[in-house]
Amino acid sequence: MKMKVFAVLMTAVITLGIGTVAYASNYLPASFKDMLPFMKEMHPQMNDTELEQMYNNCHSMMNRSYEG
């Protein structure tokens, strides 16, 4: 009985996790231009060049972490 409850709970967790990832992948900003309004809101003291440099630095670090 305990294994059945555990299996149902794990199935629900995995299903919700996959659904969340699928939903987020469709609605997250895809480029610097999409992200710029949010970045300006969070960092109003920075100009567009500084924001773009920060965006590129963060995304290059993320890409490297996925590669290796």
Side-chain angles (χ1 to χ4, degrees), residues 7-36:
V8 168
L9 287 175
M10 291 306 296
T11 302
V13 167
I14 291 170
T15 303
L16 289 173
I18 291 171
T20 301
V21 170
Y23 177 79
S25 69
N26 288 333
Y27 290 99
L28 290 176
S31 69
F32 172 70
K33 289 182 181 180
D34 294 337
M35 195 69 186
L36 188 57

